[in-house]
Amino acid sequence: YTAMGSLRVNFADGANPPGAKWILGQTEYAGGTQVSLAPGEYQITFKDVAGWAAPSTLSSVSVVSGANTMRTV
């Protein structure tokens, strides 16, 4: 048995314009949402929203068993 890990992506300085999302696979999440995931490497992209410069893709985010991984962009 391998324990799940989790990932949370926050937008810097509390920026969370309407419609801003981080994307894992085909699923969009609001800033600050925590997602339970199997350990591994993940790519995070961001939804383009008018008036907000979407951050660059996070190409390799490691999720570790039993730990919370957090990224602020």
Side-chain angles (χ1 to χ4, degrees):
Y1 168 76
T2 301
M4 300 291 277
S6 64
L7 173 64
R8 178 189 311 255
V9 178
N10 297 311
F11 298 127
D13 301 323
N16 200 9
K21 305 283 185 190
W22 60 277
I23 304 167
L24 176 64
Q26 299 297 314
T27 305
E28 297 180 355
Y29 300 96
T33 301
Q34 184 167 313
V35 179
S36 181
L37 297 168
E41 298 291 319
Y42 294 90
Q43 177 174 292
I44 307 299
T45 57
F46 299 89
K47 182 176 180 177
D48 289 324
V49 176
W52 181 63
S56 299
T57 296
L58 300 177
S59 58
S60 183
V61 177
S62 297
V63 173
V64 179
S65 176
N68 180 32
T69 300
M70 189 175 350
R71 294 290 182 267
T72 300
V73 295

